[in-house]
Amino acid sequence: MEVLIVDDQPPFRAVAGQLVSLIGWHLAGEAESGELAVEAARTLHPGLVLMDINLPGISGIEATRKITDEMPDVRVVLLSTYAEDDLPADARDCGALAYVHKEDLTPRVLRDLIA
């Protein structure tokens, strides 16, 4: 599985990249803003995007909407430190496969979502 990691924090991208490797998936690329995420998805054609909600420029929610509208075969998992009840309303209908709290992101959770 080719994975694109989108987060404005380099330490989180590094940890998420290690998690992707542990699963045996391939890190296709990284992006640090919503605009770069959309551009990277167009170029890299990942099977999965791990998308932070709060990004500089357009939000992860808007980037997810653009990616899933243009490339319906790309699956996006939204990530944040928000409690699920505190998610912005448009997070539920932006085309994301799921929402995962960053603290809960594990190889098992990712495999279960994609299975």
Side-chain angles (χ1 to χ4, degrees), residues 1-110:
M1 165 94 50
E2 297 288 318
V3 181
L4 171 63
I5 298 172
V6 183
D7 196 288
D8 59 335
Q9 300 295 317
F12 182 80
R13 291 196 311 267
V15 170
Q18 291 173 350
L19 181 125
V20 165
S21 294
L22 283 173
I23 298 172
W25 295 346
H26 179 256
L27 178 60
E30 299 179 6
E32 58 188 33
S33 73
E35 290 86 355
L36 290 174
V38 174
E39 184 178 312
R42 288 176 182 146
T43 303
L44 300 171
H45 309 288
L48 175 66
V49 179
L50 300 179
M51 178 80 70
D52 186 23
I53 289 177
N54 290 320
L55 295 168
I58 64 171
S59 72
I61 293 168
E62 184 57 31
T64 296
R65 186 172 284 112
K66 288 177 184 251
I67 290 168
T68 59
D69 283 352
E70 287 183 32
M71 298 159 271
D73 57 321
V74 175
R75 293 174 280 189
V76 179
V77 174
L78 290 175
L79 304 170
S80 186
T81 56
Y82 288 123
E84 194 161 353
D85 291 343
D86 295 332
L87 286 174
D90 53 350
R92 295 172 189 6
D93 64 2
C94 67
L97 173 67
Y99 168 73
V100 176
H101 192 284
K102 285 183 176 181
E103 289 181 357
D104 299 329
L105 186 64
T106 65
R108 178 182 208 128
V109 166
L110 280 181

